[in-house]
Amino acid sequence: MELFAVSAAELGFQTDTARLADVYARARQLGFGLAAAEVAPQLRLQYFDQPMGEFLIAMEPIRTWKGDPVILAVANGGAGLVLIGQDGSADAEIPVASRFLFVRSNEAALAKAVRGGDEAATLGRR
């Protein structure tokens, strides 16, 4: 699996915000998948040189004990490196500048490239 950091704007959204469900649907159309919940905490443990101001949303939503969907963001807000939770409901409005961490298998990337277009090359592959 490869990880790709892509903003909602890079996925084609041109408004100030986009619904989380719409961002995920567009990513799936391009052959990307959602990262497992374990990716966010593991990334936080390994990503020490994260630029200040970067927030990466990095996962499939999970449920709180009350049943509310939550997504985790790996962030450097200036006060240090953090892992924070935020609304993960389908209707959550996310700023289009927010970056998402998606996954894609190497086989999917190869098949897409063979078919004549690898969007990852134009989407800010990390």
Side-chain angles (χ1 to χ4, degrees):
M1 299 296 277
E2 292 182 86
L3 298 176
F4 295 84
V6 182
S7 72
E10 290 171 316
L11 291 174
F13 293 92
Q14 298 177 1
T15 56
D16 291 338
T17 63
R19 286 184 47 230
L20 184 61
D22 295 337
V23 172
Y24 285 172
R26 177 68 176 138
R28 285 187 181 107
Q29 288 175 345
L30 295 173
F32 295 106
L34 298 181
E38 298 83 22
V39 170
Q42 192 58 240
L43 183 61
R44 177 66 297 146
L45 291 172
Q46 297 177 23
Y47 190 20
F48 297 118
D49 60 346
Q50 183 174 19
M52 190 178 332
E54 181 181 67
F55 286 69
L56 288 173
I57 299 168
M59 63 179 292
E60 176 84 38
I62 57 174
R63 302 258 174 209
T64 66
W65 63 275
K66 287 185 176 182
D68 300 323
V70 173
I71 52 179
L72 297 176
V74 177
N76 181 353
L81 302 175
V82 296
L83 180 65
I84 56 175
Q86 65 185 68
D87 183 5
S89 65
D91 290 330
E93 290 288 328
I94 308 293
V96 296
S98 295
R99 294 178 64 76
F100 293 81
L101 194 65
F102 294 112
V103 297
R104 188 161 72 175
S105 70
N106 291 331
E107 293 81 19
L110 178 59
K112 215 168 224 348
V114 168
R115 285 196 310 262
D118 187 5
E119 290 89 353
T122 63
L123 292 178
R125 183 175 162 180
R126 231 181 226 260

